């Protein structure tokens, strides 16, 4: 192969060079044919040569737009089209030239040249082409562009192994898997020989490496462009981008060897006086080898790379350095560098004088000799030397300026890079066309040397890639020119051929850009085709626009898997197309609000053609949709331009009629084909398709004048077609649809919302036909839009429709509903609090049927479903429209309990976690066995009833309490101990939180209104608490054997009632009821525990007296105030007046009431203690008895303390006088407490003498008697410190008679004192003697003091007798 390539370079390439300038068509066609053969078969070995021949043969002709040879350019265009038949050839050209820094951008120049040709001759330009020739060029160039993009697509398909005719069997799994876009080793036909280097191929065939090479080239060209404008900035940019080195030598090499640099700018930069630029100039000159060169030849060689600047100082610096370099390379040429410097200036002046047409008096040879006399250190240079130099300059001008114009700058720079300047100069030479180039053997040898030099470079290695990522870089180069060429020609031409070619180009471009996921480029091509459909302006449509519609449909079918966001443009066109089809069939657009109602006759008659609709039915022209079609609008306008003023002309109507007839070429089949075959799209594509369809449907429905439902109906169809996709993909689809249905379902347009909800119902019914496995929740997600719209919609009609839809779906598909129950119950829960009574009743009617007839289905999947059902029923208990609904809901809760007790449920292992979610936490360190698993269904039911007991409506509270505790009572035998613990913690105890943790009512800072509110709240709570306490005690008593460990908590709740003055009687009754029921079964420790709790409760009530005292101490009670009836103090209106005395009286009145309540509590506790002992004295241990005694003693002491506050008692008495109310019975409390205390002690002594002796009951009895007598004597005016002891000498003193109040008090205390004396008299003889010394002085004083009656004195006689 190598000898053959060598011979080809030596003979064939040389022949091509010699004949390239000939314009003989037969020769040119032969050249192109040979060049095509080289491209097809030998491009791998002739990379450098092809890089030269391409600009010389192809690009030179292609880029000549104004004055080309018609036959030559047509030959070149045919050549390019033939090249594109080999897709690998197109790719190889881009990879080996456009991605090679040292090579021209052949692919880019081909595309840009074709674009210029496709756009035609610019207006106003002078050209030799006839209009027919220009059109032919345009058509052929478009054909070439189509061939290029088609070749790219074919190569891409080959690498990716895309089979367009057969869709994948499972599009979802195909797209979810790994995409086969890795590099594939493509092979070319056997006729093609690639001389590939394996090492370089392995390193450089990667798309990433090619991207780096291409990026390097682009950035280098950017730096060159910047240099050509501002040299210093360009050099700075290139150094910063590391494209050249930062040393002066590196910059000089760049200026000397880089193609594309402007020679004038190079000269300006070399002449700069800045330090770095000066060093660059020195390095530039020093890099030249001027040895053995004649001075004229040397200066000509020196000035070939740049043009001398116009500034004299810059020229001076450059020529000075040149002279130094020449003398250094040729030491014997001149005596000094000054001679060379002066002579160089003379040569420059001679060149300007001899070849400038503006100079009339030319310099003669003698003048030149005279000007250069004495320049060699005062000596003259040889005349023959100067004369020869003069003749060279005059005959052959030193060309210092670049003869390139601005538009051809890039081409000339590339020509310079490849050494083509002289070749193209010869091609453009004005010699006779028949003369060949054989005479210039020197030039040919020079070009051959260039070939050899490039062949030996590493860049001449030919690379072939098969990574499709390279197409991204190719598309970035060619997409904009192709888009411009296709768009302009499609817009300006109506010829079928050009229209077909342009649309083919668009289709191929969309295919490549879509598969390569180049979104911007893909959307640009799709949008352009969509605009050319003219569906937004049907009155101006032509046949080419119908062809554009066909192209859109073809793109959707062929490349649907890769369109992504571009689907929106396609579906928008389909929506508009369908609208026009309906109009063409004589049917009105599918508006929700037709402007002209259809009468029965029209419905029965066949659809009239379009011209009948538009001509005969003049009223139909007023329809917004038809008006919009006739008036047209912009492609991007969402809302039709209905408000555009101006009449509709007959011409517009006629055009529309004919255009609608043209649309019959397509029909509905092609339109529906896209939607039916959406099931063939892969997972990513179907999601994108649905997103775009929802967006288009949203724009249709949001039209204020012409809402349409075409896309909405297609959404339902699409969902139905793709319902069999795998669950992961369908979940993504439904996530998009869910957002859409919610957004549109909340529309202010009622008709739109109703239509959407009906569509959603259809989808839900279809989906519920499929069975769902356990522990999946897709049904719940599917029905979620109903829930969201139900919660957010302001339309009662929509909410009612949702309830009806959900009811219908559930009742029809009840056996298939699994996780969907959650959403169903959420809908009905929302309906329970609706403002419309009919919605509430409709929802409850469905819930009633579900619970009664389909209860097993509710708990078929998981416990949380039953929880949602319970919550739903509880929500209906709050209905404010119909109390029957609330009671029926509670009744159904009981029904649920019965069903649970029957055990007809299916349970799964996840129920424990579900119940934990209901309650929020788990009881402390309790585990549950498998046999207890079913009880978790009880948790949401019982918890719901428990929360319902705090409902503000008394009837509901009472009913909930009854159902709750009856349920626990009737079915508690099913519960284990561990579950009972949970029931008490999460169900029973929370009912009493208000009482158990409640505090007494604070009077500090409270206004009268606040106090009244607190009283009313307590009254409201007492109605529930009394019943709740009774149920609590009975429940605990009924399951005492199981829940025995909960006794402390239960008693704590009961005693908490005692702590609250409002509920004290309830607490005492419940305590006695509890001990009566379970007292015989309590152990000693349990008795002690509950009695200690009772003692603590009794003690906790006593501080309330201190609060009353503190409040009364801050109140001044007037001596005389107008009496107010007691009822007037607590009214719902304002106080009688706003005087401070009245406010104080209000507070004092409340204190009196609280004082009476406090006394009543103490009396209840005393009675409870007595009853407790009488009933359970056999069960009480000494420790328990001591607790009772301590409680008695504490109450007695507290009662005496209350009466000892004389000022408080006086204030209370005044208040009661003013209120015309009875005084608080504080004295009665004291007498009664001591009376019962004595009775209790005496009973203990009588019933159990041994116990009494062990715990010292006699001593406590005597101490109590002593205390009672002391209190009586103090009241009688004989305090202890004034009493006379036996043996004391009597002292004479005045005895003041007692007042009326004291006498009344003594009378009240008489019975207690008499009882006390009787107790002392009844003491045993030994005991009497033992304690006589303690109480005898008190008895003596009783005889001395004043009494209200003689009963006390008669009783003391008994003691005297003993």
């Amino acid at each position: 192969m190598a000898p053959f390539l060598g011979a080809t370079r030596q003979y064939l390439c040389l022949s091509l060079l010699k004949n390239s300038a000939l314009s003989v068509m037969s020769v040119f066609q032969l050249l192109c044919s040979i060049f095509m053969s080289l491209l097809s078969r030998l491009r791998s070995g002739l990379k450098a040569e092809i890089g030269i021949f391409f600009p010389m043969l192809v690009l030179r002709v292609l880029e000549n737009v104004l004055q080309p040879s018609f036959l030559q350019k047509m030959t070149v265009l045919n050549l390019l089209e033939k090249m594109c038949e080999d897709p690998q050839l197109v790719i190889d050209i881009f990879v080996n030239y456009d991605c090679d820094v040292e090579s021209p951008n052949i692919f880019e120049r081909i595309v840009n040249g074709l674009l210029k040709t496709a756009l035609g001759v610019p207006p106003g330009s002078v050209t030799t082409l006839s209009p027919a020739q220009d059109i032919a060029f345009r058509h052929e160039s478009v054909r070439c562009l189509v061939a290029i993009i088609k070749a790219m697509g074919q190569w891409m398909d080959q690498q990716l192994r895309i089979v367009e005719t057969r869709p994948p069997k499972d599009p979802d799994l195909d797209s979810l898997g790994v995409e086969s876009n890795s590099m594939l080793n493509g092979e070319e036909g056997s006729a093609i020989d690639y001389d590939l280097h394996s090492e370089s191929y392995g390193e450089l065939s990667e798309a990433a490496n090619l991207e780096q090479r291409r990026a390097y080239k682009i950035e280098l060209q950017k730096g060159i462009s910047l240099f050509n404008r501002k040299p210093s900035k360009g050099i700075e940019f290139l150094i910063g981008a590391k494209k050249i080195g930062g040393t002066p030598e590196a910059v000089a090499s760049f200026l000397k060897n880089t193609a594309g640099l402007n020679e004038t700018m190079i000269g300006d930069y070399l002449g700069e006086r800045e330090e770095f630029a000066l060093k660059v100039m020195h390095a530039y000159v020093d890099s030249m080898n001027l040895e053995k060169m004649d001075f004229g030849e040397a200066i000509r060689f020196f000035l070939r790379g740049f043009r001398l600047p116009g500034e004299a100082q810059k020229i001076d610096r450059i020529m000075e350095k040149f002279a130094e370099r020449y003398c250094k390379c040729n030491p014997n040429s001149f005596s000094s560098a000054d001679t060379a410097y002066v002579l160089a200036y003379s040569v420059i002046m001679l060149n300007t004088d001899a070849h400038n047409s503006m100079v009339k008096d030319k310099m003669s040879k003698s003048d030149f000799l005279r000007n250069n006399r004495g320049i060699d250190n005062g000596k003259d240079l040889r005349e023959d030397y100067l004369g020869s130099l003069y003749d060279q300059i005059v005959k052959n001008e030193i060309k210092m300026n670049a003869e390139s114009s601005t538009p051809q700058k890039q081409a000339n720079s590339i020509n310079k890079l490849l050494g083509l300047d002289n070749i193209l100069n010869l091609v453009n030479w004005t010699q006779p066309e028949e003369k060949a180039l054989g005479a210039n053997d020197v030039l040919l040898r020079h070009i051959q040397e260039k070939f050899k030099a490039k062949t030996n470079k590493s860049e001449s290695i030919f690379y072939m890639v098969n990574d499709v990522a390279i197409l991204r870089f190719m598309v970035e180069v060619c997409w904009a020119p192709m888009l411009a060429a296709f768009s302009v020609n499609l817009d300006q031409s109506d010829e079928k051929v050009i229209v077909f070619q342009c649309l083919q180009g668009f289709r191929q471009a969309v295919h490549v850009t879509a598969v390569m996921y180049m979104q911007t480029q893909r959307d640009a091509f799709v949008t352009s085709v969509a605009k050319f459909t003219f569906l937004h302006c049907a009155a101006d449509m032509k046949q080419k626009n119908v062809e554009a519609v066909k192209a859109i449909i073809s793109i959707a079918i062929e490349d649907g898997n890769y369109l992504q966001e571009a689907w929106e443009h396609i579906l928008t066109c389909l929506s508009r197309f369908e609208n026009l089809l309906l109009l063409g069939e004589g049917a009105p657009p599918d508006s929700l609000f037709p402007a002209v109602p259809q009468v029965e006759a029209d419905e029965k008659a066949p659809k009239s053609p379009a011209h009948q609709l538009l001509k005969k039915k003049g009223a139909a022209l007023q329809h917004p949709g038809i008006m919009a079609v006739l008036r047209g609008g912009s492609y991007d306008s969402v809302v039709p331009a209905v408000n555009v003023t101006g009449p509709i002309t007959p011409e517009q109507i006629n055009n529309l009629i004919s255009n609608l007839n043209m649309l019959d070429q397509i029909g509905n089949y092609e339109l529906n084909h896209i939607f039916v075959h959406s099931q063939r799209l892969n997972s990513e594509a179907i999601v994108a398709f649905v997103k775009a369809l929802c967006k288009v449907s949203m724009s249709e429905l949001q039209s204020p004048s012409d809402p349409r439902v075409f896309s909405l109906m297609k959404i339902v169809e699409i969902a139905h077609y793709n319902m069999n996709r795998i669950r992961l993909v369908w979940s993504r689809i439904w996530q998009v649809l869910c957002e859409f249905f919610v957004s549109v379902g909340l529309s202010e347009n009622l008709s739109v919302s109703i239509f959407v909800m009906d569509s959603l119902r259809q989808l839900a019914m279809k989906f519920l036909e499929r069975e769902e496995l356990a522990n999946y929740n897709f049904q719940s997600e599917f029905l979620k839009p109903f829930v969201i719209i139900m919660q957010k919609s302001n339309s009662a009609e929509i909410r009612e429709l949702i309830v009806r839809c959900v009811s219908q779906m559930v009742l029809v598909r009840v056996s298939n509903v699994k996780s969907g129950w959650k959403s169903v119950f959420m809908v009905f829960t929302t309906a329970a609090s609706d403002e419309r009574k009919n919605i509430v009743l409709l929802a409850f009617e469905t819930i009633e049927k579900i619970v009664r007839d389909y209860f097993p289905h509710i708990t078929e999947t998981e416990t949380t479903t039953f929880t949602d059902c319970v919550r739903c029923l509880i929500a209906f208990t709050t209905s404010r429209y119909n109390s029957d609904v609330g009671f029926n809901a509670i009744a159904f809760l009981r029904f649920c309990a019965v069903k649970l007790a029957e055990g007809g449920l299916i349970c799964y292992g996840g129920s424990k976690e579900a119940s934990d979610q209901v309650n929020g936490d788990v009881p402390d360190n309790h585990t549950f066995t498998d046999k207890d698993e079913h009880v978790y269904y009880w948790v949401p039911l019982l918890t719901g009833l428990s929360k319902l007991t705090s409902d503000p409506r008394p009837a509901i509270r009472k009913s909930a309490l009854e159902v709750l505790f009856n349920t626990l009572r009737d079915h508690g035998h099913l519960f284990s101990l561990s579950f009972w613990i949970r029931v008490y913690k999460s169900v029973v105890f929370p009912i009493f939180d208000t009482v158990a943790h409640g505090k007494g009512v604070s009077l500090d800072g409270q206004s009268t209104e606040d106090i009244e509110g607190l009283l009313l709240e307590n009254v409201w709570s007492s109605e529930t608490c009394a019943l709740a306490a009774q149920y609590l005690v009975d429940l605990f008593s009924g399951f005492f054997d199981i829940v025995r460990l909960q006794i402390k908590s239960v008693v704590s709740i009961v005693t908490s009632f005692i702590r609250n003055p409002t509920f004290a009687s309830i607490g005492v009754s419940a305590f006695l009821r509890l001990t009566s029921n379970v007292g015989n079964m309590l152990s000693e420790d349990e008795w002690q525990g509950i009695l200690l709790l009772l003692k603590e409760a009794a003690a906790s009530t006593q501080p309330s007296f201190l609060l009353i005292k503190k409040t009364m101490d801050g109140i001044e009670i007037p001596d005389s105030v107008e009496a107010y009836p007691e009822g007037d103090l607590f009214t719902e209106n304002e106080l009688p007046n706003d005087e401070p005395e009245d406010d104080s009286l209000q507070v004092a009145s409340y204190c009196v009431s609280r004082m009476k309540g406090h006394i009543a509590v103490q009396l209840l506790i005393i009675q409870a203690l007595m009853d407790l002992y009488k009933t359970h004295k056999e069960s009480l241990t000494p420790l328990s008895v001591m607790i009772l005694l301590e409680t008695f003693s504490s109450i007695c002491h507290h009662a005496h303390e209350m009466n000892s506050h004389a000022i408080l008692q006086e204030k209370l008495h005044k208040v009661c006088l003013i209120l015309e109310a009875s005084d608080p019975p504080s004295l009665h409390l004291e007498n009664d407490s001591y009376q019962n205390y004595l009775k209790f002690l005496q009973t203990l002594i009588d019933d159990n003498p041994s116990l009494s002796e062990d715990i010292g009951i006699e001593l406590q009895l005597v101490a109590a008697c002593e205390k009672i007598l002391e209190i009586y004597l103090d009241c009688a005016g004989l305090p202890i410190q004034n009493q006379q002891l036996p043996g004391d000498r009597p002292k004479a003193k005045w005895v003041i008679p007692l007042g009326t109040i004291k006498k009344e008090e003594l009378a009240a205390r008489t019975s207690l004192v008499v009882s006390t004396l009787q107790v002392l008299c009844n003491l045993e003889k030994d005991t009497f003697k033992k304690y006589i010394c303690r109480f005898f002085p008190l008895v003596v004083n009783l005889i001395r003091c004043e009494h209200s009656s003689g009963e006390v004195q008669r009783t003391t006689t008994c003691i005297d007798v003993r």
Side-chain angles (χ1 to χ4, degrees), residues 336-349:
S336 67
D338 291 335
T339 303
Y341 170 70
V342 174
L343 183 60
Y345 253 112
S346 296
V347 169
I348 296 300
M349 293 175 62

Side-chain angles (χ1 to χ4, degrees), residues 615-879:
K615 286 188 173 181
K616 295 183 178 180
K617 296 185 179 179
L621 291 176
Q622 303 305 318
H623 190 281
I626 299 176
M627 295 281 288
V629 171
L630 289 172
R631 296 190 184 279
S634 64
Y635 170 79
D636 297 323
S637 62
V638 177
V639 180
V642 178
N643 296 326
V644 178
T645 58
I648 297 174
T649 63
E651 182 181 0
Q652 287 179 308
I653 297 177
N654 293 330
N655 289 339
L656 179 59
I657 294 171
S658 60
N659 294 341
L660 293 179
N661 291 332
M662 286 193 300
L663 293 178
D664 293 337
Q665 303 172 31
I666 301 176
N668 279 321
Y669 175 78
E670 290 80 1
L671 180 67
N672 294 327
H673 182 78
I674 298 175
F675 299 99
V676 173
H677 288 79
S678 64
Q679 53 191 326
R680 297 184 180 180
L681 298 176
N682 61 34
S683 61
E684 296 295 332
I686 187 60
V687 175
F689 181 81
V690 172
K691 285 183 179 179
L693 188 58
C694 289
K695 196 169 183 180
V696 174
S697 178
M698 187 74 72
S699 64
E700 289 180 354
L701 295 171
Q702 288 179 347
S703 173
S705 59
D706 183 29
R708 300 177 58 239
V709 296
F710 166 74
S711 298
L712 179 58
M713 291 188 295
K714 292 303 178 183
I715 287 175
V716 178
E717 293 180 16
I718 291 301
H720 175 64
Y721 295 146
N722 293 271
M723 199 167 287
N724 291 325
R725 288 184 180 264
I726 61 176
R727 188 61 55 91
L728 292 176
V729 177
W730 180 243
S731 298
R732 295 177 59 193
I733 295 174
W734 185 249
Q735 184 178 5
V736 177
L737 293 179
C738 180
E739 295 178 359
F740 167 77
F741 281 121
V742 170
S743 177
V744 181
L746 296 174
S747 172
E748 296 181 358
N749 191 323
L750 182 59
S751 297
V752 169
S753 299
I754 291 176
F755 196 94
V756 167
M757 298 316 301
D758 185 67
S759 301
L760 184 59
R761 179 193 59 80
Q762 296 177 41
L763 281 179
M765 289 293 289
K766 292 177 182 178
F767 187 80
L768 288 177
E769 294 176 359
R770 305 171 59 187
E771 292 188 2
E772 184 182 56
L773 299 178
N775 296 323
Y776 286 93
N777 63 346
F778 188 71
Q779 282 186 359
S780 177
E781 293 297 325
F782 197 91
L783 298 175
K784 190 176 181 180
F786 288 109
V787 179
I788 299 175
I789 298 174
M790 185 70 188
Q791 293 173 345
K792 296 183 178 181
S793 178
N794 296 323
S795 171
E797 291 82 358
I798 295 300
R799 297 197 300 272
E800 181 177 355
L801 178 61
I802 292 175
V803 172
R804 294 187 182 277
C805 289
V806 174
S807 300
Q808 180 192 9
M809 289 187 297
V810 172
L811 297 180
V812 174
R813 306 290 184 195
V814 65
S815 59
N816 289 349
V817 180
K818 297 294 188 296
S819 64
W821 284 115
K822 183 177 183 64
S823 296
V824 169
F825 287 126
M826 290 180 68
V827 169
F828 292 143
T829 301
T830 306
S833 57
D834 199 273
E835 299 176 354
R836 296 294 185 93
K837 182 178 180 180
N838 60 326
I839 295 178
V840 176
L841 296 179
L842 179 63
F844 186 75
E845 180 182 350
T846 306
I847 282 290
E848 184 179 8
K849 187 172 183 60
I850 290 173
V851 175
R852 181 189 298 112
D853 300 337
Y854 306 111
F855 183 80
H857 295 283
I858 297 176
T859 55
E860 188 177 357
T861 53
E862 54 186 8
T863 311
T864 52
T865 303
F866 181 72
T867 303
D868 296 327
C869 177
V870 171
R871 289 176 178 171
C872 184
L873 289 173
I874 292 174
F876 278 104
T877 62
T878 62
S879 175

Side-chain angles (χ1 to χ4, degrees), residues 600-616:
E600 265 186 34
D602 293 333
E603 291 179 355
K604 295 180 180 179
K607 294 183 178 178
S608 58
H611 67 277
Q612 294 179 357
L613 175 68
L614 297 176
K615 286 188 173 181
K616 295 183 178 180

Side-chain angles (χ1 to χ4, degrees), residues 551 789 944 1167 1183 1328:
I789 298 174
Q1167 187 61 41
L1183 291 177
F1328 187 84

Side-chain angles (χ1 to χ4, degrees), residues 274-293:
E274 280 79 8
E275 181 180 358
F276 184 76
L278 194 60
K279 291 180 180 180
V280 171
M281 187 265 290
H282 288 183
Y284 182 89
V285 178
D286 290 339
S287 66
M288 293 184 175
N289 186 8
L290 305 179
E291 293 182 4
K292 299 180 181 180
M293 282 190 182

